[in-house]
Amino acid sequence: MAGARGAAAGRGTPSEHDHIVDDEVVSVVVRRSPRYGRFLFLGVVVGLVVAGILTAVAAATGDPGGPLTAGASGFLRVYGALAAVCVGVGLLVFGTLAIALDRMIGRRHRAEIAERATVLTDDLTSPVSDDPPRWGDEPERRP
């Protein structure tokens, strides 16, 4: 069992210098939840894409004296205004979707058993001492 813990912790196989100090088994509840950051990021991306599509449609069907006829600066102003609105709507829609999924999926949970072991390792190649560091003994130098 100690070998599995050492390998699971990413340390490889335990050596003869490992000492298990504390071994604890706890019952925990595992609950699935959507990742809100990913939903919100997707809302931003979808909002930017929709703003680009709306700007392209407005450029194709725009009137001759409109803001899109001013060249690149007019195009960027229209895209920026539409992006601000579309990103806000995208955040609202995808945030609401994440909350709704959390309400539906959040009801499903299961009990699991978690094991935690505190392992101390004797490192004979570079032993640790309780002495204060040498740099703490140096007097302060002020110019």
Side-chain angles (χ1 to χ4, degrees), residues 21-81:
V21 177
D22 184 26
D23 196 9
E24 182 178 4
V25 177
V26 180
S27 176
V28 295
V29 176
V30 178
R31 179 180 164 275
R32 294 184 61 193
S33 175
R35 297 184 181 252
Y36 290 99
R38 292 183 182 175
F39 274 91
L40 296 178
F41 178 73
L42 189 61
V44 169
V45 170
V46 168
L48 290 174
V49 168
V50 168
I53 292 171
L54 290 177
T55 305
V57 167
T61 61
D63 52 341
L68 291 171
T69 59
S73 65
F75 184 80
L76 288 176
R77 279 186 282 176
V78 170
Y79 178 74

Side-chain angles (χ1 to χ4, degrees), residues 114-140:
E115 294 182 21
R116 183 178 148 243
T118 304
V119 179
L120 295 179
T121 303
D122 296 334
D123 189 9
L124 300 177
T125 58
S126 60
V128 179
S129 68
D130 290 336
D131 297 333
R134 288 180 293 181
W135 52 264
D137 296 336
E138 296 177 9
E140 290 185 29

Side-chain angles (χ1 to χ4, degrees), residues 59-116:
T61 61
D63 52 341
L68 291 171
T69 59
S73 65
F75 184 80
L76 288 176
R77 279 186 282 176
V78 170
Y79 178 74
L82 286 174
V85 172
C86 290
V87 164
V89 171
L91 285 171
L92 181 66
V93 167
F94 278 86
T96 305
L97 179 67
I99 291 173
L101 283 175
D102 186 29
R103 296 288 180 188
M104 290 188 308
I105 295 173
R107 299 198 196 308
R108 290 190 284 170
H109 56 276
R110 64 182 188 273
E112 294 286 333
I113 295 176
E115 294 182 21
R116 183 178 148 243

Side-chain angles (χ1 to χ4, degrees), residues 1-21 118-125:
M1 184 180 256
R5 280 192 211 113
R11 293 181 296 131
T13 59
S15 65
E16 66 271 1
H17 301 293
D18 289 346
H19 304 288
I20 296 178
V21 177
T118 304
V119 179
L120 295 179
T121 303
D122 296 334
D123 189 9
L124 300 177
T125 58

